[in-house]
Amino acid sequence: VAAAATPALAARFASDDLAQPKIDQGRSELSGVSNLYYPSWMVGTWEVTQTLKRAEAPLGLRFIGGPRGDLSIAAKSLAEQRSRIDKPQALKLRFVKTNAGVVEDRLYNQRSRLDGFAGRSVVASVEYSETGGNNRRGNVALGGSADDPLTTVVVYYKGPAAQKVFSVARTTESSEASWRGSEATRSIFALTNQNAAPPITTDSEVLTELARVDDKTVTGRLRLVDYMNPTDPLYFEARRKAVSVADYEMIYRRVAD
């Protein structure tokens, strides 16, 4: 009997040779209810411990060295990232119930992650942004609520900068033992003062694996993957392959809302 094939998302945790997910196609203004849906047992607020276990540059240093492929910048960046291995980072994350399922509270979670990893308060505000493929009208038309979380957010920093984060592709799989999800994102970072520097665009993927221990505890893995964006000089040479991979261990402990 042939061995069962490894589920697609499970395989994406097993190798650093990853191809960039394709952007969703065929979106319309009535598909606003689309989101990344988590297991029902994730609803609520969680105290989370996120611990980096490994960081790699699968295609080599020059692919993480900025627009010029600067090897010294890349080496320093990777060394700084690896200096955080086995150092736990505490966060609070929130997941909310909608008529279509459980989704993350992106406003709460974006602020928590950015402030947490910065070690200080760096976010002034976070807002949802409506897009043609994900909007309030679409949510309501498909049986959702006008207050349901959207998939695009805009972060305003306390300095003269802002960042818009789009969810461009999502997929999930589950078994009796675990749930896995993949979300591809595109981020645009821009200065909000008179500086003429062009915006910076980055493409990433967040891979999540969750396993329920009991009503108050969930364990899991998180994999953050970066890809070249079409504006990067090395985009065609990278051939849509992962240029940076960071693996984390996760522990979630439920807290009272």
Side-chain angles (χ1 to χ4, degrees):
V1 179
T6 302
L9 294 186
R12 293 185 74 78
F13 280 94
S15 171
D16 291 347
D17 182 15
L18 299 173
Q20 186 174 8
K22 293 182 179 179
I23 293 176
D24 284 350
Q25 302 294 323
R27 309 303 297 280
S28 77
E29 64 177 3
L30 296 180
S31 62
V33 77
S34 182
N35 213 318
L36 182 67
Y37 290 98
Y38 288 79
S40 60
W41 36 263
M42 282 302 294
V43 69
T45 302
W46 302 81
E47 289 183 343
V48 178
T49 302
Q50 181 171 326
T51 306
L52 179 66
K53 305 306 290 185
R54 64 188 289 269
E56 301 294 336
L59 299 187
L61 288 177
R62 69 192 186 98
F63 286 90
I64 62 169
R68 298 181 181 179
D70 190 303
L71 295 182
S72 63
I73 291 176
K76 289 178 182 177
S77 175
L78 186 59
E80 193 279 331
Q81 186 178 26
R82 286 174 170 170
S83 73
R84 299 196 295 270
I85 288 176
D86 290 329
K87 295 180 179 178
Q89 173 65 53
L91 306 168
K92 268 193 175 181
L93 300 178
R94 180 184 294 163
F95 299 84
V96 297
K97 184 178 180 181
T98 72
N99 288 342
V102 174
V103 300
E104 70 167 310
D105 181 341
R106 294 177 189 264
L107 303 188
Y108 185 96
N109 292 356
Q110 279 281 355
R111 179 189 292 271
S112 180
R113 291 185 180 109
L114 290 168
D115 285 349
F117 280 96
R120 57 191 175 89
S121 176
V122 297
V123 175
S125 65
V126 189
E127 302 173 0
Y128 284 118
S129 178
E130 296 192 73
T131 66
N134 187 258
N135 51 73
R136 303 297 186 192
R137 179 188 176 193
N139 277 354
V140 173
L142 294 176
S145 165
D147 296 326
D148 287 348
L150 300 178
T151 58
T152 301
V153 299
V154 180
V155 180
Y156 294 95
Y157 292 92
K158 292 184 175 179
Q163 181 179 13
K164 192 168 188 177
V165 184
F166 301 85
S167 171
V168 297
R170 297 159 300 280
T171 185
T172 64
E173 66 186 29
S174 60
S175 65
E176 292 184 5
S178 63
W179 173 95
R180 300 180 193 92
S182 165
E183 182 165 49
T185 64
R186 173 162 290 175
S187 297
I188 302 174
F189 183 91
L191 297 175
T192 54
N193 55 16
Q194 299 301 312
N195 192 304
I200 298 172
T201 302
T202 58
D203 286 352
S204 304
E205 179 185 11
V206 181
L207 287 156
T208 306
E209 181 180 72
L210 302 172
R212 188 185 190 189
V213 178
D214 53 43
D215 288 344
K216 296 183 178 181
T217 311
V218 170
T219 60
R221 294 186 291 170
L222 180 72
R223 169 168 271 206
L224 303 183
V225 186
D226 291 329
Y227 301 91
M228 291 278 100
N229 180 269
T231 61
D232 292 312
L234 295 175
Y235 173 74
F236 291 104
E237 192 172 342
R239 298 178 182 272
R240 298 180 60 86
K241 293 290 189 177
V243 299
S244 173
V245 177
D247 288 321
Y248 297 82
E249 287 184 353
M250 308 291 290
I251 302 176
Y252 300 74
R253 296 180 176 88
R254 188 187 301 278
V255 297
D257 290 325

